[in-house]
Every structure is written in structure tokens, then in C-alpha cells.
Amino acid sequence: VIAALTAIVFVTACGAGLALRVDRNADPARWIGESFLIGFGLSALVLLGLTFARVHWTLGWFVIVMILAGLPWFKRLHVRTTPLHWIDALTLVTVIGYVLFVTAAAPAEADFVSDWGLKAKVFAHTQGVDWGFLRNGWYWFALGDYPPLVPLSFDTIALFSGGWDDRWLGMINAGFGIAALLVIRSLAAEQLHSKAAAAFEAFAIACILLTPWLGTGDGPLVAYMTVAALFIRRGFITPGAVFLGLGALTKNEGISFVVAAGMAMLLDERLRKYVWRLWPAVLIPAPWLAARAIFRLKTYLATGSVFDRIAAHMHDPQTYAMLLQIQSVGPLLTTGVLIAIVLAWPQWRTKERFVIAAIALQIAFYVAAYVVTPLDVAFHIKWSWERLVWHVTPLLAIVSLEAILPMAAIRRYNV
Amino acid sequence: MARWKVYLARIACVLILAGGFKPLYLQMFTGARTSWAAALVERPYQKMPVYRAFMNGVAERTPPDARIAIAVPAEDPGAYTYGFLRGTYLLAPRITVPLFSGGESPTLQNIRYAEYVAAWHVNPHSFGPHFERVWSDGDGTLLRRVR
């Protein structure tokens, strides 16, 4: 656990300078959260870069390159206080409970064993990204084309541990969840102009944001996607683009979210003219996408004839009813969000066009993936739909709360 | 603002809070964490009890660059994949060799690539005279190529 904590502190410190450059308005809590999110993106790119340079990963090389990559960006932090509320204590208790949850044992998700953890373990032993392993058809379940940020985050901890040990890798889940929560709490305080409302929002979404799928890419992706969309929604395009790019380095769904966010900005008159400023979202995953093309890593959605697969799936269209039957979001949360949409519809229609469009497009991409999937449709939906819907659930919950919290806080009303 | 809208907004806030809440995280402050941890350790292997212990035994007795075929009962490709991918994780960085092509029946064609066979609940004699027994734990047998 000491090695994992040391890795997290070191990587966060190396991301701190870039976080200051990306978001000049951050308070200390938000700065720490952003430093973690950027730091682990930086560490993934450094490990990828060392592989490209044919340098075997060692702790010494990693530390040197991380310091060289992170240090020049430092500048003075404009210290602002983060006003707290007693509700924040409840959030803290929830977060501590989550940390106990993720550190109870090594990650046990099937996807960790078959994909995220497997790749990280192989890379840790070969001291670099093993292209032969990723290309090997015997290990199709490892999804060799998938972006590498999460496995490389595990490898960062392995470097500090002196070898592969999966016991404390849940700390990565905890780190991403807490980092995103710090950013969201800070943005909510600015948006709502009320520390009580911001604290309530953070408490309400804590359990939604702190995902239970340990050792997979979903938790980190939820963190990056949610934070990115919230920044863009506020008009902070640069940090939004950076976190979009880091999401694209985390999962293929993160790549589709870059497209969804870009298209959503085009649909929003307020944001349309800033679309070009999303260039970091394209630049950050570019090294991986280039390597993927050079080493011909197969994307399973692109194997064989797409049209044949669509035709085959259309023989049994009722399978797609599973999308409605699988209850990924509970009835209470769904009802709460629906009430928020109805109550504040004028606000949603005018101010939240970007969020609505980004979520709708992302869900449309997911459904399209089920239409072209080479896997058995029922199997694919059963094992992924719940997690995919959860990618956008925190964002929807946050925007819903921010639409109705000002109403809920009104003390004088017309009878 | 109409009173009903204010109350409805408050109800919606409470619904979102309650709907997202996960009591499991708070249960971690109690003794439930110990049983949760024990369940987690075996969860990826719940369809193949003690498989993890066998594969860890195989890993202890083979070099890190070994090529190991994984033989597990395979009624269908899904059942074989369940054992193969879990064995691959436990044995990494050793190269694991699949013995199921995805066709209707298991194939031994790939056995030529293997230096070892990790046979779990599979008759070890089915691999012929080319392999000798190295170790067995009652549920599985590790075989090594002799010629």
C-alpha cells in the first residue's frame, strides 16, 4: 500500500504544473483533483514514449522523465480557500467507505482478469508495451486495440512496488473517483454560488461517481468524461479538451465521446465557435492511435463485413429490447432526473443543449456498436450495457441537480 | 415560484440522492468488509473452484518464459474461454496456448507449440507419451514435454 500511495503522490505532483496551466481558476481542492487526472495521463504517455524509444521501463527512467515532463510547467498557484459545509463531512464518510471497498482485496472483475489487469501484468514483466501480445489472436479477449491509460496506470504502481502485485490496484479506482469529485465539488460551488448546494450536489453524486467496477477502465473514463463535459459546458474549453483527450486514451468509448462532444458543441450556438479549441482532445490520444495503426492492432468492431453482421443481427431484432429491460439506473434516480428535466425544461432547452446532445450522441454510438458487433448481441448487451449507461449517468445527475437545486433552496414562494 | 414546484424540486433532489446511494460502501465500516474481501478473491474463479490455487501452483513450477497449453473441460467455446483467459492472467507473463479453436470440439493442434500442459479436470494421459507428469494437486496436473 505504501508503494501505491507513493506512486499516486509522485504522479499527482508531476501533473500539478500542467494542471495549473490548463485551469488557471482552480481552487486548491480542484487543483489536486486535476493534478491526479492529468498526472496519470502524463505517466501513461511517458511509459508509452519509453516503449517507443525502446527503453525498458525502470523506476529510475520513469521518475527522471516524469520530472522532466512535469516540472517545467509549474507556476505560482493563486491560493484561494475552498469553503466547506457540514454536508461535506457526509461525502468524506462515503469516500472513506469507498476506499475501504476498493482496497478490500485485489480487483476481481472479469474484465480486469481478461483485459485491463492482464495487459498491465504482461507489460510489467516485459518492461514495456508488448505489441506481440496485443497482436496475438489467441488473446482476443485482451482487446489489444483498447487505449492503454488504465493498464499503464497499474504499471506505474508496479514500478514503485518493484514488481507486479495486484493487491492494491483498487487505489487507482479510488484516486480517479476522488479526483473527479474534487473537481465537480469546486465547479458546483462556482455554478450554484452556494456552498450548501455545492456540498449537497457532491454528496448526492458521490456514490454515482465512485463506480463499483474495480480494475476496469469504466471508473477512470467516467471521471474524465464527466469532468470534461462540465468544463466545456461552463465554457472552459482548454481543460475540457485535455480531459476529453485523456478519456480517449482510456477507452474506445472515450474516443467516441470526443466526437460526441465536438458535434454537441456544433449544435450549441454559444460553444460552436470554440470547436477548434478541442485540438488537445485529438493530440493526446494520437500517439496511441498511431501505434495502433502501425502495429495493426485489430478493433473487434471492425473485423469482417459490417453489413453481414448487421444483416445477421436483424434476424433477431427483439434482442435489442434488452436495452430497455436491463435496469442500469435505478427507478428513484430515473424519477428524480425526469422530474428535474420537466421542472426546469426551459433551462435544459436553452442552456444545456450541449450536455443533452453529447449524452444523446454517446448513447447513440453505443447502440450503433451493438448493431455492428461481431459478438453475440444478447451476450454483448448483457455484459456491457449497465456500465455503458453509467458513463453518462453522473453527468446527467449533476446537470439535473444544478437545474433544480436553486429551486429547491427557495424559502419564499407564491402560494 | 409556485410552492408545488419548490416541493417537487426538493423531492427530486432527495430521489437523486437516494437513487444513487450505495449502502455497500458504508457497510465497509463494519465486519462485512472481511467477508466481502474473501468473496472478492475467489469471485473471478467462482465457476471453477480451486482453479486459482492450481494455476498458482503451475506458475511456481514453470519459468516465466514457458509456453503452457491450458486444458480445461470444454463443453463449448464459452466454457473453454472462461478457463483459458483466467489461466492466462494467473500464468502471465508465460505464453499460454489455447487448445480450443472455437469449433465444435476441442482441438489438440496447438499442442505442438507447448512446452508444458496445465490439465485441470482433464485426463493427463490424453496428451500421449510426449509429456511427463511434473506435479499434481488432485484437481489438476502439470505436464512437461519430454520429446
Side-chain angles (χ1 to χ4, degrees):
Chain A
V1 68
I2 291 170
L5 284 172
T6 308
I8 287 171
V9 169
F10 174 76
V11 168
T12 303
C14 289
L18 277 164
L20 283 175
R21 298 281 172 175
V22 165
D23 180 11
R24 291 155 206 262
N25 303 312
D27 58 36
R30 183 158 111 204
W31 173 56
I32 291 169
E34 291 171 337
S35 300
F36 177 95
L37 295 174
I38 291 174
F40 271 92
L42 183 66
S43 76
L45 289 169
V46 165
L47 290 177
L48 203 54
L50 288 174
T51 302
F52 290 153
R54 296 173 186 267
V55 175
H56 281 301
W57 296 347
T58 60
L59 184 58
W61 271 117
F62 177 74
V63 167
I64 290 168
V65 179
M66 280 293 284
I67 289 173
L68 288 175
L71 208 60
W73 303 98
F74 263 100
K75 63 172 194 147
R76 196 173 167 193
L77 174 69
H78 297 286
V79 178
R80 289 193 291 141
T81 54
T82 308
L84 296 174
H85 190 271
W86 65 265
I87 298 175
D88 289 313
L90 300 177
T91 311
L92 183 63
V93 170
T94 307
V95 166
I96 294 170
Y98 182 69
V99 172
L100 293 172
F101 169 78
V102 299
T103 55
E109 288 292 325
D111 282 359
F112 172 81
V113 174
S114 68
D115 176 1
W116 310 95
L118 174 60
K119 280 187 284 200
K121 190 176 180 185
V122 170
F123 298 168
H125 281 94
T126 52
Q127 295 179 287
V129 175
D130 187 337
W131 306 109
F133 173 81
L134 296 179
R135 260 201 312 250
N136 193 333
W138 286 351
Y139 311 122
W140 58 270
F141 43 79
L143 302 178
D145 68 303
Y146 250 49
L149 188 144
V150 173
L152 296 182
S153 299
F154 296 153
D155 287 326
T156 299
I157 290 183
L159 278 173
F160 280 82
S161 304
W164 178 258
D165 178 7
D166 57 13
R167 172 64 186 86
W168 298 103
L169 294 183
M171 300 284 283
I172 289 289
N173 270 79
F176 275 97
I178 294 167
L181 202 53
L182 289 172
V183 177
I184 290 162
R185 167 72 174 80
S186 166
L187 288 173
E190 289 179 6
Q191 178 84 8
L192 296 165
H193 304 291
S194 159
K195 60 181 180 182
F200 179 86
E201 179 185 312
F203 178 50
I205 64 121
C207 286
I208 303 173
L209 195 69
L210 301 170
T211 59
W213 303 290
L214 307 185
T216 74
D218 297 289
L221 181 68
V222 165
Y224 283 131
M225 278 174 58
T226 308
V227 167
L230 290 175
F231 271 117
I232 294 172
R233 166 181 176 249
R234 294 277 312 278
F236 300 150
I237 309 298
T238 302
V242 168
F243 293 121
L244 270 185
L246 292 172
L249 201 59
T250 304
K251 282 194 88 178
N252 279 346
E253 292 91 326
I255 297 173
S256 71
F257 195 61
V258 173
V259 179
M263 291 169 70
M265 285 176 75
L266 290 173
L267 294 171
D268 188 315
E269 284 177 11
R270 191 174 48 94
L271 297 170
R272 191 174 297 157
K273 56 183 176 287
Y274 301 119
V275 170
W276 65 272
R277 287 177 57 195
L278 288 185
W279 61 265
V282 179
L283 185 68
I284 289 169
W288 171 253
L289 295 175
R292 194 162 93 170
I294 291 166
F295 291 100
R296 294 178 184 168
L297 304 180
K298 286 180 185 165
T299 300
Y300 73 96
L301 285 178
T303 50
S305 165
V306 172
F307 296 108
D308 287 350
R309 293 201 302 266
I310 294 172
H313 297 327
M314 287 305 122
H315 285 304
D316 192 18
Q318 61 266 33
T319 310
Y320 290 95
M322 287 175 70
L323 295 173
L324 299 173
Q325 290 161 355
I326 294 175
Q327 196 176 62
S328 47
V329 180
L332 294 180
L333 184 53
T334 306
T335 309
V337 168
L338 286 175
I339 292 173
I341 292 172
V342 172
L343 268 183
W345 178 244
Q347 182 180 332
W348 282 87
R349 205 181 55 184
T350 54
K351 294 184 181 171
E352 306 295 358
R353 192 169 288 180
F354 164 74
V355 170
I356 293 172
I359 290 174
L361 287 165
Q362 185 71 353
I363 292 290
F365 289 146
Y366 291 166
V367 173
Y370 290 132
V371 174
V372 301
T373 181
L375 304 176
D376 175 68
V377 176
F379 171 86
H380 200 170
I381 291 173
K382 182 181 175 188
W383 292 109
S384 63
W385 183 237
E386 183 188 6
R387 283 181 288 121
L388 295 187
V389 170
W390 214 260
H391 292 169
V392 293
T393 301
L395 179 60
L396 193 58
I398 289 165
V399 178
S400 299
L401 284 169
E402 291 184 3
I404 55 172
L405 272 169
M407 285 187 206
I410 289 174
R411 292 177 188 274
R412 291 181 184 175
Y413 29 69
N414 303 326
V415 179
Chain B
M1 176 76 63
R3 180 185 291 204
W4 68 270
K5 280 191 175 181
V6 175
Y7 281 120
L8 205 53
R10 288 174 186 171
I11 289 168
C13 288
V14 172
L15 286 174
I16 292 171
L17 171 67
F21 190 69
K22 291 191 181 71
L24 181 62
Y25 297 165
L26 293 187
Q27 288 168 18
M28 293 296 115
F29 290 102
T30 69
R33 185 172 186 249
T34 310
S35 52
W36 168 250
L40 267 188
V41 171
E42 289 300 334
R43 196 167 83 176
Y45 313 97
Q46 58 191 351
K47 287 186 188 172
M48 300 171 85
V50 302
Y51 184 66
R52 189 174 67 93
F54 168 65
M55 282 299 172
N56 284 337
V58 171
E60 284 170 16
R61 290 164 180 83
T62 50
D65 60 347
R67 291 194 304 273
I68 306 172
I70 294 180
V72 296
E75 294 81 19
D76 57 73
Y80 182 78
T81 301
Y82 184 93
F84 179 67
L85 67 85
R86 282 158 178 78
T88 299
Y89 176 75
L90 292 167
L91 295 178
R94 294 158 190 81
I95 296 169
T96 52
V97 179
L99 296 180
F100 202 110
S101 64
E104 289 183 357
S105 59
T107 172
L108 288 180
Q109 280 183 355
N110 287 343
I111 200 78
R112 64 180 185 274
Y113 299 115
E115 300 163 326
Y116 292 87
V117 178
W120 192 81
H121 287 193
V122 169
N123 181 3
H125 300 297
S126 59
F127 299 97
H130 301 296
F131 290 89
E132 68 175 8
R133 181 182 168 283
V134 176
W135 166 76
S136 180
D137 74 345
D139 285 291
T141 304
L142 173 65
L143 305 166
R144 179 173 53 212
R145 182 181 289 280
V146 287
R147 54 187 151 130

PDB file of all heavy atoms in Angstrom, chain B residues 3 8-9 50 53 58 68-70 77 96 113 134-135:
ATOM      1  N   ARG B   3     -45.322  27.144  -4.961  1.00  0.00           N
ATOM      2  CA  ARG B   3     -44.900  26.285  -3.843  1.00  0.00           C
ATOM      3  C   ARG B   3     -44.715  24.827  -4.293  1.00  0.00           C
ATOM      4  O   ARG B   3     -43.769  24.171  -3.898  1.00  0.00           O
ATOM      5  CB  ARG B   3     -45.949  26.369  -2.730  1.00  0.00           C
ATOM      6  CG  ARG B   3     -45.589  25.505  -1.535  1.00  0.00           C
ATOM      7  CD  ARG B   3     -46.696  25.507  -0.515  1.00  0.00           C
ATOM      8  NE  ARG B   3     -46.838  26.802   0.126  1.00  0.00           N
ATOM      9  CZ  ARG B   3     -47.389  26.980   1.331  1.00  0.00           C
ATOM     10  NH1 ARG B   3     -47.816  25.925   2.012  1.00  0.00           N
ATOM     11  NH2 ARG B   3     -47.522  28.168   1.855  1.00  0.00           N
ATOM     12  N   LEU B   8     -41.564  19.934  -5.284  1.00  0.00           N
ATOM     13  CA  LEU B   8     -41.222  18.897  -6.267  1.00  0.00           C
ATOM     14  C   LEU B   8     -39.705  18.878  -6.529  1.00  0.00           C
ATOM     15  O   LEU B   8     -39.101  17.811  -6.667  1.00  0.00           O
ATOM     16  CB  LEU B   8     -41.986  19.157  -7.570  1.00  0.00           C
ATOM     17  CG  LEU B   8     -42.238  17.947  -8.479  1.00  0.00           C
ATOM     18  CD1 LEU B   8     -42.896  16.808  -7.716  1.00  0.00           C
ATOM     19  CD2 LEU B   8     -43.111  18.344  -9.668  1.00  0.00           C
ATOM     20  N   ALA B   9     -39.121  20.068  -6.572  1.00  0.00           N
ATOM     21  CA  ALA B   9     -37.661  20.148  -6.765  1.00  0.00           C
ATOM     22  C   ALA B   9     -36.938  19.493  -5.594  1.00  0.00           C
ATOM     23  O   ALA B   9     -35.955  18.766  -5.778  1.00  0.00           O
ATOM     24  CB  ALA B   9     -37.239  21.609  -6.911  1.00  0.00           C
ATOM     25  N   VAL B  50     -11.117 -23.682  -6.790  1.00  0.00           N
ATOM     26  CA  VAL B  50      -9.715 -24.095  -6.588  1.00  0.00           C
ATOM     27  C   VAL B  50      -8.854 -24.026  -7.866  1.00  0.00           C
ATOM     28  O   VAL B  50      -7.696 -24.422  -7.846  1.00  0.00           O
ATOM     29  CB  VAL B  50      -9.557 -25.507  -5.922  1.00  0.00           C
ATOM     30  CG1 VAL B  50     -10.257 -25.556  -4.595  1.00  0.00           C
ATOM     31  CG2 VAL B  50     -10.048 -26.621  -6.822  1.00  0.00           C
ATOM     32  N   ALA B  53      -5.815 -21.802  -7.208  1.00  0.00           N
ATOM     33  CA  ALA B  53      -4.740 -22.441  -6.443  1.00  0.00           C
ATOM     34  C   ALA B  53      -3.910 -23.348  -7.357  1.00  0.00           C
ATOM     35  O   ALA B  53      -2.667 -23.370  -7.277  1.00  0.00           O
ATOM     36  CB  ALA B  53      -5.334 -23.239  -5.288  1.00  0.00           C
ATOM     37  N   VAL B  58       1.075 -24.081 -10.757  1.00  0.00           N
ATOM     38  CA  VAL B  58       1.738 -24.216 -12.065  1.00  0.00           C
ATOM     39  C   VAL B  58       2.766 -23.094 -12.244  1.00  0.00           C
ATOM     40  O   VAL B  58       3.899 -23.328 -12.682  1.00  0.00           O
ATOM     41  CB  VAL B  58       0.689 -24.180 -13.206  1.00  0.00           C
ATOM     42  CG1 VAL B  58       1.368 -24.092 -14.571  1.00  0.00           C
ATOM     43  CG2 VAL B  58      -0.210 -25.409 -13.143  1.00  0.00           C
ATOM     44  N   ILE B  68       2.764 -22.641 -22.128  1.00  0.00           N
ATOM     45  CA  ILE B  68       1.934 -23.608 -21.401  1.00  0.00           C
ATOM     46  C   ILE B  68       0.560 -23.730 -22.057  1.00  0.00           C
ATOM     47  O   ILE B  68      -0.173 -22.738 -22.162  1.00  0.00           O
ATOM     48  CB  ILE B  68       1.760 -23.166 -19.929  1.00  0.00           C
ATOM     49  CG1 ILE B  68       3.116 -22.936 -19.273  1.00  0.00           C
ATOM     50  CG2 ILE B  68       0.944 -24.200 -19.149  1.00  0.00           C
ATOM     51  CD1 ILE B  68       3.041 -22.325 -17.881  1.00  0.00           C
ATOM     52  N   ALA B  69       0.229 -24.936 -22.482  1.00  0.00           N
ATOM     53  CA  ALA B  69      -1.129 -25.182 -23.001  1.00  0.00           C
ATOM     54  C   ALA B  69      -2.076 -25.348 -21.821  1.00  0.00           C
ATOM     55  O   ALA B  69      -1.713 -25.966 -20.816  1.00  0.00           O
ATOM     56  CB  ALA B  69      -1.137 -26.433 -23.859  1.00  0.00           C
ATOM     57  N   ILE B  70      -3.243 -24.760 -21.936  1.00  0.00           N
ATOM     58  CA  ILE B  70      -4.234 -24.870 -20.863  1.00  0.00           C
ATOM     59  C   ILE B  70      -5.346 -25.813 -21.312  1.00  0.00           C
ATOM     60  O   ILE B  70      -6.012 -25.564 -22.327  1.00  0.00           O
ATOM     61  CB  ILE B  70      -4.802 -23.484 -20.496  1.00  0.00           C
ATOM     62  CG1 ILE B  70      -3.687 -22.618 -19.885  1.00  0.00           C
ATOM     63  CG2 ILE B  70      -5.974 -23.623 -19.525  1.00  0.00           C
ATOM     64  CD1 ILE B  70      -4.127 -21.232 -19.487  1.00  0.00           C
ATOM     65  N   PRO B  77     -17.227 -23.329 -26.639  1.00  0.00           N
ATOM     66  CA  PRO B  77     -16.137 -22.349 -26.652  1.00  0.00           C
ATOM     67  C   PRO B  77     -16.181 -21.413 -25.457  1.00  0.00           C
ATOM     68  O   PRO B  77     -15.145 -21.033 -24.915  1.00  0.00           O
ATOM     69  CB  PRO B  77     -16.365 -21.581 -27.955  1.00  0.00           C
ATOM     70  CG  PRO B  77     -17.146 -22.502 -28.820  1.00  0.00           C
ATOM     71  CD  PRO B  77     -17.994 -23.317 -27.900  1.00  0.00           C
ATOM     72  N   THR B  96       0.503 -18.585 -22.847  1.00  0.00           N
ATOM     73  CA  THR B  96      -0.473 -19.666 -22.732  1.00  0.00           C
ATOM     74  C   THR B  96      -0.985 -20.033 -24.120  1.00  0.00           C
ATOM     75  O   THR B  96      -1.176 -19.167 -24.976  1.00  0.00           O
ATOM     76  CB  THR B  96      -1.650 -19.261 -21.834  1.00  0.00           C
ATOM     77  OG1 THR B  96      -2.173 -18.016 -22.295  1.00  0.00           O
ATOM     78  CG2 THR B  96      -1.218 -19.136 -20.382  1.00  0.00           C
ATOM     79  N   TYR B 113       2.879 -26.248 -29.969  1.00  0.00           N
ATOM     80  CA  TYR B 113       3.554 -25.018 -29.538  1.00  0.00           C
ATOM     81  C   TYR B 113       3.926 -25.056 -28.047  1.00  0.00           C
ATOM     82  O   TYR B 113       4.616 -24.172 -27.567  1.00  0.00           O
ATOM     83  CB  TYR B 113       2.657 -23.803 -29.765  1.00  0.00           C
ATOM     84  CG  TYR B 113       2.264 -23.572 -31.209  1.00  0.00           C
ATOM     85  CD1 TYR B 113       0.947 -23.678 -31.614  1.00  0.00           C
ATOM     86  CD2 TYR B 113       3.231 -23.251 -32.163  1.00  0.00           C
ATOM     87  CE1 TYR B 113       0.582 -23.469 -32.933  1.00  0.00           C
ATOM     88  CE2 TYR B 113       2.872 -23.044 -33.485  1.00  0.00           C
ATOM     89  CZ  TYR B 113       1.549 -23.159 -33.860  1.00  0.00           C
ATOM     90  OH  TYR B 113       1.193 -22.958 -35.164  1.00  0.00           O
ATOM     91  N   VAL B 134       4.737 -33.621 -14.001  1.00  0.00           N
ATOM     92  CA  VAL B 134       5.659 -32.864 -13.149  1.00  0.00           C
ATOM     93  C   VAL B 134       5.101 -32.727 -11.745  1.00  0.00           C
ATOM     94  O   VAL B 134       5.799 -32.893 -10.755  1.00  0.00           O
ATOM     95  CB  VAL B 134       5.903 -31.451 -13.746  1.00  0.00           C
ATOM     96  CG1 VAL B 134       6.781 -30.608 -12.818  1.00  0.00           C
ATOM     97  CG2 VAL B 134       6.519 -31.542 -15.125  1.00  0.00           C
ATOM     98  N   TRP B 135       3.800 -32.447 -11.691  1.00  0.00           N
ATOM     99  CA  TRP B 135       3.194 -32.143 -10.386  1.00  0.00           C
ATOM    100  C   TRP B 135       1.684 -32.275 -10.509  1.00  0.00           C
ATOM    101  O   TRP B 135       1.121 -32.056 -11.578  1.00  0.00           O
ATOM    102  CB  TRP B 135       3.564 -30.713  -9.981  1.00  0.00           C
ATOM    103  CG  TRP B 135       2.780 -30.141  -8.852  1.00  0.00           C
ATOM    104  CD1 TRP B 135       2.933 -30.448  -7.529  1.00  0.00           C
ATOM    105  CD2 TRP B 135       1.739 -29.154  -8.915  1.00  0.00           C
ATOM    106  NE1 TRP B 135       2.054 -29.720  -6.775  1.00  0.00           N
ATOM    107  CE2 TRP B 135       1.314 -28.910  -7.600  1.00  0.00           C
ATOM    108  CE3 TRP B 135       1.135 -28.471  -9.955  1.00  0.00           C
ATOM    109  CZ2 TRP B 135       0.294 -28.019  -7.307  1.00  0.00           C
ATOM    110  CZ3 TRP B 135       0.119 -27.574  -9.663  1.00  0.00           C
ATOM    111  CH2 TRP B 135      -0.285 -27.350  -8.350  1.00  0.00           C
TER     112      TRP B 135
END
